[in-house]
Amino acid sequence: METKFSIIIPAFNEEKYIEETLKSIPKNKETEIIVICNSCTDNTKKIAKKYAEVISIKEKNVSRARNIGARKSKGYILIFLDADTLLTKNSLKEIKKTLKHGIIGTCKVIPDSKRLKYNIAMKIKNLFLWFPWTSGIIYCNKKIFKKIDGFDENLTKKEDSDFVKRAMKYGKFSVADTYVINSMRRFEKYGLIKVSLFWIKEAVRPSKEEYKSVR
């Protein structure tokens, strides 16, 4: 059976999250999973090898990790999934359906927490996905990935929005009628207001400030 979906997951020291993410992905001959361990020093690789093809690179660079995975892939639909983001039922089916009318997109999001403030925050985020924003997942057809030469490896943050904006020069951005589940670990560590203000500031006046990893 032809490989339709290539799910590409960059993973920097994600031993606490990667297994649950990989378990959320349907296992069939239409889907391949590629995990790129970028500068891992923990058990991410060992865990991921139980579920996926694993590539290790020395650099932490997330754009390079995604590009390597995409160029290795066999599918004609590429899905770039964060290592702490879970798919839900029918996600792949809805993504495929959406790509009949567009070339790139994301999914709606729900939090991995029942706390009211996170649920409200994610509902608000869903209203603004059409800007376009992304939600721990980007999907596109492989032709457009090649056309725009993948992710910009010189960017240290907002590489996802840059990728989407360049792709949109050639077709429509869409939001699939399905949800992914996002980890709230960054909000739990730094607080909802602080994280939100960081991204508002970056939208108004981008800086060279590092986007810190939360592990």
Side-chain angles (χ1 to χ4, degrees):
M1 188 178 291
E2 183 182 13
T3 302
K4 292 182 180 179
F5 302 98
S6 292
I7 301 178
I8 297 149
I9 306 172
F12 166 65
N13 288 348
E14 293 284 2
E15 63 181 4
K16 295 179 182 178
Y17 298 90
I18 191 69
E19 187 159 30
E20 191 173 0
T21 295
L22 292 170
K23 284 181 176 180
S24 76
I25 301 171
K27 309 302 183 290
N28 54 59
K29 293 182 180 179
E30 292 185 333
T31 305
E32 70 170 348
I33 309 169
I34 302 174
V35 174
I36 303 88
C37 291
N38 50 329
S39 193
C40 287
T41 56
D42 64 357
N43 290 316
T44 298
K45 181 178 179 179
K46 181 179 179 181
I47 296 167
K49 284 180 74 173
K50 295 188 291 182
Y51 304 91
E53 177 181 356
V54 178
I55 300 169
S56 294
I57 63 174
K58 293 180 180 179
E59 299 88 348
K60 188 179 171 183
N61 189 318
V62 66
S63 292
R64 184 159 191 265
R66 287 174 178 149
N67 287 341
I68 288 171
R71 289 165 185 150
K72 176 81 171 177
S73 67
K74 301 179 182 70
Y76 60 86
I77 296 175
L78 302 182
I79 298 175
F80 299 98
L81 186 67
D82 287 357
D84 61 353
T85 296
L86 313 183
L87 297 183
T88 56
K89 187 178 180 181
N90 295 326
S91 288
L92 299 185
K93 178 181 176 182
E94 291 299 325
I95 286 170
K96 183 181 177 183
K97 185 190 300 184
T98 304
L99 279 176
K100 291 179 180 178
H101 309 288
I103 60 167
I104 190 164
T106 193
C107 301
K108 295 179 284 187
V109 60
I110 52 178
D112 66 348
S113 170
K114 293 182 179 180
R115 298 185 70 178
L116 181 61
K117 64 179 180 180
Y118 296 141
N119 280 272
I120 292 173
M122 294 305 104
K123 285 181 184 296
I124 293 171
K125 182 175 183 177
N126 287 336
L127 295 175
F128 288 92
L129 289 176
W130 290 99
F131 264 62
W133 288 0
T134 59
S135 56
I137 184 172
I138 301 171
Y139 57 81
C140 66
N141 63 58
K142 197 166 189 177
K143 287 182 179 179
I144 197 64
F145 175 88
K146 291 180 177 179
K147 194 174 186 71
I148 64 173
D149 198 26
F151 290 84
D152 186 341
E153 297 181 15
N154 294 312
L155 296 177
T156 58
K157 57 180 179 288
K158 297 181 71 175
E159 76 292 332
D160 49 354
S161 58
D162 170 79
F163 178 79
V164 170
K165 287 174 183 176
R166 286 188 287 117
M168 286 175 62
K169 295 177 182 178
Y170 302 98
K172 182 182 176 184
F173 175 85
S174 57
V175 179
D177 188 20
T178 185
Y179 290 88
V180 293
I181 302 172
N182 276 185
S183 167
M184 295 293 104
R185 58 178 168 171
R186 184 170 299 275
F187 295 118
E188 288 168 351
K189 180 168 183 176
Y190 294 115
L192 188 58
I193 294 175
K194 186 174 181 179
V195 174
S196 300
L197 288 176
F198 173 84
W199 285 115
I200 291 171
K201 183 184 71 174
E202 287 296 322
V204 175
R205 184 177 294 178
S207 71
K208 294 182 179 181
E209 183 181 349
E210 181 185 358
Y211 188 52
K212 297 178 182 178
S213 302
V214 177
R215 298 294 180 268

mmCIF file of all heavy atoms in Angstrom, residues 78-104:
data_model
loop_
_atom_site.group_PDB
_atom_site.id
_atom_site.type_symbol
_atom_site.label_atom_id
_atom_site.label_comp_id
_atom_site.label_asym_id
_atom_site.label_seq_id
_atom_site.Cartn_x
_atom_site.Cartn_y
_atom_site.Cartn_z
ATOM 1 N N LEU A 78 2.783 15.582 4.211
ATOM 2 C CA LEU A 78 3.722 15.737 5.317
ATOM 3 C C LEU A 78 3.010 16.339 6.515
ATOM 4 O O LEU A 78 2.275 17.326 6.372
ATOM 5 C CB LEU A 78 4.883 16.648 4.910
ATOM 6 C CG LEU A 78 5.707 16.230 3.689
ATOM 7 C CD1 LEU A 78 6.843 17.225 3.469
ATOM 8 C CD2 LEU A 78 6.252 14.824 3.844
ATOM 9 N N ILE A 79 3.230 15.774 7.686
ATOM 10 C CA ILE A 79 2.661 16.299 8.920
ATOM 11 C C ILE A 79 3.817 16.536 9.892
ATOM 12 O O ILE A 79 4.506 15.591 10.304
ATOM 13 C CB ILE A 79 1.642 15.324 9.530
ATOM 14 C CG1 ILE A 79 0.472 15.130 8.567
ATOM 15 C CG2 ILE A 79 1.148 15.849 10.883
ATOM 16 C CD1 ILE A 79 -0.540 14.095 9.024
ATOM 17 N N PHE A 80 4.036 17.793 10.240
ATOM 18 C CA PHE A 80 5.075 18.158 11.193
ATOM 19 C C PHE A 80 4.410 18.293 12.559
ATOM 20 O O PHE A 80 3.607 19.202 12.789
ATOM 21 C CB PHE A 80 5.756 19.455 10.770
ATOM 22 C CG PHE A 80 6.420 19.361 9.425
ATOM 23 C CD1 PHE A 80 5.782 19.833 8.284
ATOM 24 C CD2 PHE A 80 7.671 18.778 9.294
ATOM 25 C CE1 PHE A 80 6.375 19.734 7.032
ATOM 26 C CE2 PHE A 80 8.278 18.670 8.047
ATOM 27 C CZ PHE A 80 7.627 19.149 6.912
ATOM 28 N N LEU A 81 4.736 17.367 13.447
ATOM 29 C CA LEU A 81 4.052 17.271 14.739
ATOM 30 C C LEU A 81 5.051 17.518 15.858
ATOM 31 O O LEU A 81 6.146 16.952 15.863
ATOM 32 C CB LEU A 81 3.443 15.876 14.877
ATOM 33 C CG LEU A 81 2.566 15.590 16.093
ATOM 34 C CD1 LEU A 81 1.274 16.402 16.030
ATOM 35 C CD2 LEU A 81 2.242 14.097 16.165
ATOM 36 N N ASP A 82 4.668 18.363 16.817
ATOM 37 C CA ASP A 82 5.525 18.572 17.988
ATOM 38 C C ASP A 82 5.543 17.312 18.847
ATOM 39 O O ASP A 82 4.554 16.568 18.902
ATOM 40 C CB ASP A 82 5.027 19.754 18.815
ATOM 41 C CG ASP A 82 5.305 21.099 18.161
ATOM 42 O OD1 ASP A 82 5.946 21.116 17.083
ATOM 43 O OD2 ASP A 82 4.877 22.123 18.722
ATOM 44 N N ALA A 83 6.642 17.089 19.542
ATOM 45 C CA ALA A 83 6.828 15.860 20.306
ATOM 46 C C ALA A 83 5.910 15.753 21.513
ATOM 47 O O ALA A 83 5.778 14.674 22.103
ATOM 48 C CB ALA A 83 8.281 15.740 20.763
ATOM 49 N N ASP A 84 5.267 16.849 21.911
ATOM 50 C CA ASP A 84 4.335 16.819 23.039
ATOM 51 C C ASP A 84 2.901 17.117 22.607
ATOM 52 O O ASP A 84 2.074 17.535 23.414
ATOM 53 C CB ASP A 84 4.770 17.810 24.124
ATOM 54 C CG ASP A 84 4.805 19.251 23.628
ATOM 55 O OD1 ASP A 84 4.626 19.480 22.404
ATOM 56 O OD2 ASP A 84 5.014 20.158 24.457
ATOM 57 N N THR A 85 2.609 16.893 21.333
ATOM 58 C CA THR A 85 1.271 17.144 20.783
ATOM 59 C C THR A 85 0.655 15.834 20.312
ATOM 60 O O THR A 85 1.275 15.093 19.551
ATOM 61 C CB THR A 85 1.344 18.145 19.623
ATOM 62 O OG1 THR A 85 1.807 19.402 20.126
ATOM 63 C CG2 THR A 85 -0.012 18.350 18.973
ATOM 64 N N LEU A 86 -0.556 15.546 20.752
ATOM 65 C CA LEU A 86 -1.210 14.277 20.445
ATOM 66 C C LEU A 86 -2.253 14.444 19.351
ATOM 67 O O LEU A 86 -2.998 15.428 19.324
ATOM 68 C CB LEU A 86 -1.911 13.717 21.688
ATOM 69 C CG LEU A 86 -1.133 13.694 23.005
ATOM 70 C CD1 LEU A 86 -1.989 13.036 24.086
ATOM 71 C CD2 LEU A 86 0.178 12.961 22.866
ATOM 72 N N LEU A 87 -2.314 13.464 18.452
ATOM 73 C CA LEU A 87 -3.405 13.411 17.486
ATOM 74 C C LEU A 87 -4.650 12.866 18.173
ATOM 75 O O LEU A 87 -4.559 12.185 19.194
ATOM 76 C CB LEU A 87 -3.035 12.507 16.310
ATOM 77 C CG LEU A 87 -1.854 12.912 15.431
ATOM 78 C CD1 LEU A 87 -1.702 11.923 14.277
ATOM 79 C CD2 LEU A 87 -2.007 14.323 14.901
ATOM 80 N N THR A 88 -5.800 13.149 17.598
ATOM 81 C CA THR A 88 -7.053 12.584 18.094
ATOM 82 C C THR A 88 -7.711 11.785 16.971
ATOM 83 O O THR A 88 -7.231 11.767 15.839
ATOM 84 C CB THR A 88 -8.015 13.684 18.585
ATOM 85 O OG1 THR A 88 -8.245 14.625 17.520
ATOM 86 C CG2 THR A 88 -7.435 14.415 19.786
ATOM 87 N N LYS A 89 -8.801 11.132 17.290
ATOM 88 C CA LYS A 89 -9.490 10.263 16.327
ATOM 89 C C LYS A 89 -9.861 11.049 15.069
ATOM 90 O O LYS A 89 -10.341 12.177 15.147
ATOM 91 C CB LYS A 89 -10.745 9.678 16.979
ATOM 92 C CG LYS A 89 -11.448 8.639 16.126
ATOM 93 C CD LYS A 89 -12.646 8.068 16.859
ATOM 94 C CE LYS A 89 -13.360 7.021 15.996
ATOM 95 N NZ LYS A 89 -14.553 6.463 16.689
ATOM 96 N N ASN A 90 -9.631 10.450 13.928
ATOM 97 C CA ASN A 90 -9.961 11.022 12.610
ATOM 98 C C ASN A 90 -9.066 12.189 12.194
ATOM 99 O O ASN A 90 -9.359 12.853 11.186
ATOM 100 C CB ASN A 90 -11.430 11.457 12.542
ATOM 101 C CG ASN A 90 -12.390 10.292 12.658
ATOM 102 O OD1 ASN A 90 -12.095 9.189 12.176
ATOM 103 N ND2 ASN A 90 -13.531 10.506 13.295
ATOM 104 N N SER A 91 -7.998 12.464 12.929
ATOM 105 C CA SER A 91 -7.127 13.587 12.562
ATOM 106 C C SER A 91 -6.585 13.433 11.144
ATOM 107 O O SER A 91 -6.640 14.366 10.334
ATOM 108 C CB SER A 91 -5.953 13.702 13.541
ATOM 109 O OG SER A 91 -6.387 14.178 14.797
ATOM 110 N N LEU A 92 -6.059 12.263 10.819
ATOM 111 C CA LEU A 92 -5.467 12.060 9.494
ATOM 112 C C LEU A 92 -6.518 12.144 8.388
ATOM 113 O O LEU A 92 -6.277 12.725 7.326
ATOM 114 C CB LEU A 92 -4.733 10.715 9.437
ATOM 115 C CG LEU A 92 -3.573 10.538 10.419
ATOM 116 C CD1 LEU A 92 -2.864 9.214 10.159
ATOM 117 C CD2 LEU A 92 -2.588 11.690 10.329
ATOM 118 N N LYS A 93 -7.670 11.584 8.652
ATOM 119 C CA LYS A 93 -8.764 11.630 7.676
ATOM 120 C C LYS A 93 -9.170 13.070 7.384
ATOM 121 O O LYS A 93 -9.368 13.463 6.222
ATOM 122 C CB LYS A 93 -9.966 10.847 8.229
ATOM 123 C CG LYS A 93 -11.182 10.862 7.322
ATOM 124 C CD LYS A 93 -12.323 10.090 7.970
ATOM 125 C CE LYS A 93 -13.602 10.160 7.119
ATOM 126 N NZ LYS A 93 -14.724 9.440 7.795
ATOM 127 N N GLU A 94 -9.284 13.890 8.420
ATOM 128 C CA GLU A 94 -9.695 15.279 8.239
ATOM 129 C C GLU A 94 -8.594 16.114 7.575
ATOM 130 O O GLU A 94 -8.887 17.018 6.777
ATOM 131 C CB GLU A 94 -10.083 15.894 9.580
ATOM 132 C CG GLU A 94 -11.354 15.330 10.188
ATOM 133 C CD GLU A 94 -12.580 15.543 9.295
ATOM 134 O OE1 GLU A 94 -12.648 16.592 8.624
ATOM 135 O OE2 GLU A 94 -13.460 14.661 9.277
ATOM 136 N N ILE A 95 -7.354 15.812 7.879
ATOM 137 C CA ILE A 95 -6.246 16.524 7.240
ATOM 138 C C ILE A 95 -6.239 16.232 5.738
ATOM 139 O O ILE A 95 -6.104 17.141 4.907
ATOM 140 C CB ILE A 95 -4.905 16.119 7.877
ATOM 141 C CG1 ILE A 95 -4.782 16.775 9.258
ATOM 142 C CG2 ILE A 95 -3.724 16.522 6.992
ATOM 143 C CD1 ILE A 95 -3.617 16.262 10.085
ATOM 144 N N LYS A 96 -6.395 14.980 5.383
ATOM 145 C CA LYS A 96 -6.430 14.603 3.968
ATOM 146 C C LYS A 96 -7.589 15.293 3.251
ATOM 147 O O LYS A 96 -7.436 15.797 2.127
ATOM 148 C CB LYS A 96 -6.562 13.083 3.845
ATOM 149 C CG LYS A 96 -6.524 12.594 2.404
ATOM 150 C CD LYS A 96 -6.682 11.084 2.341
ATOM 151 C CE LYS A 96 -6.706 10.606 0.898
ATOM 152 N NZ LYS A 96 -6.940 9.136 0.807
ATOM 153 N N LYS A 97 -8.739 15.343 3.903
ATOM 154 C CA LYS A 97 -9.912 15.991 3.318
ATOM 155 C C LYS A 97 -9.657 17.483 3.077
ATOM 156 O O LYS A 97 -10.001 18.033 2.023
ATOM 157 C CB LYS A 97 -11.114 15.810 4.255
ATOM 158 C CG LYS A 97 -12.432 16.332 3.695
ATOM 159 C CD LYS A 97 -13.522 16.340 4.762
ATOM 160 C CE LYS A 97 -13.778 14.960 5.319
ATOM 161 N NZ LYS A 97 -14.905 14.969 6.299
ATOM 162 N N THR A 98 -9.034 18.127 4.047
ATOM 163 C CA THR A 98 -8.771 19.556 3.951
ATOM 164 C C THR A 98 -7.791 19.877 2.830
ATOM 165 O O THR A 98 -7.909 20.907 2.158
ATOM 166 C CB THR A 98 -8.223 20.081 5.295
ATOM 167 O OG1 THR A 98 -9.148 19.754 6.330
ATOM 168 C CG2 THR A 98 -8.052 21.590 5.261
ATOM 169 N N LEU A 99 -6.823 18.996 2.595
ATOM 170 C CA LEU A 99 -5.812 19.251 1.578
ATOM 171 C C LEU A 99 -6.358 19.133 0.150
ATOM 172 O O LEU A 99 -5.660 19.455 -0.804
ATOM 173 C CB LEU A 99 -4.624 18.310 1.757
ATOM 174 C CG LEU A 99 -3.622 18.735 2.837
ATOM 175 C CD1 LEU A 99 -2.530 17.686 3.013
ATOM 176 C CD2 LEU A 99 -2.998 20.086 2.510
ATOM 177 N N LYS A 100 -7.605 18.704 0.008
ATOM 178 C CA LYS A 100 -8.226 18.715 -1.319
ATOM 179 C C LYS A 100 -8.529 20.144 -1.756
ATOM 180 O O LYS A 100 -8.707 20.413 -2.944
ATOM 181 C CB LYS A 100 -9.512 17.894 -1.294
ATOM 182 C CG LYS A 100 -9.291 16.400 -1.116
ATOM 183 C CD LYS A 100 -10.609 15.647 -1.083
ATOM 184 C CE LYS A 100 -10.381 14.158 -0.895
ATOM 185 N NZ LYS A 100 -11.662 13.398 -0.822
ATOM 186 N N HIS A 101 -8.590 21.068 -0.778
ATOM 187 C CA HIS A 101 -8.960 22.460 -1.073
ATOM 188 C C HIS A 101 -7.849 23.446 -0.731
ATOM 189 O O HIS A 101 -8.008 24.647 -0.915
ATOM 190 C CB HIS A 101 -10.232 22.828 -0.301
ATOM 191 C CG HIS A 101 -11.343 21.837 -0.485
ATOM 192 N ND1 HIS A 101 -12.040 21.719 -1.670
ATOM 193 C CD2 HIS A 101 -11.855 20.905 0.355
ATOM 194 C CE1 HIS A 101 -12.937 20.755 -1.539
ATOM 195 N NE2 HIS A 101 -12.854 20.252 -0.332
ATOM 196 N N GLY A 102 -6.737 22.958 -0.198
ATOM 197 C CA GLY A 102 -5.634 23.840 0.166
ATOM 198 C C GLY A 102 -4.323 23.103 0.060
ATOM 199 O O GLY A 102 -4.280 21.926 -0.315
ATOM 200 N N ILE A 103 -3.250 23.792 0.424
ATOM 201 C CA ILE A 103 -1.939 23.160 0.316
ATOM 202 C C ILE A 103 -1.221 23.049 1.653
ATOM 203 O O ILE A 103 -0.247 22.319 1.781
ATOM 204 C CB ILE A 103 -1.041 23.922 -0.671
ATOM 205 C CG1 ILE A 103 -0.825 25.374 -0.199
ATOM 206 C CG2 ILE A 103 -1.610 23.881 -2.080
ATOM 207 C CD1 ILE A 103 0.284 26.081 -0.930
ATOM 208 N N ILE A 104 -1.716 23.778 2.645
ATOM 209 C CA ILE A 104 -1.041 23.800 3.946
ATOM 210 C C ILE A 104 -2.039 24.183 5.019
ATOM 211 O O ILE A 104 -3.046 24.862 4.741
ATOM 212 C CB ILE A 104 0.149 24.787 3.940
ATOM 213 C CG1 ILE A 104 1.002 24.633 5.215
ATOM 214 C CG2 ILE A 104 -0.311 26.230 3.751
ATOM 215 C CD1 ILE A 104 2.369 25.289 5.104
#
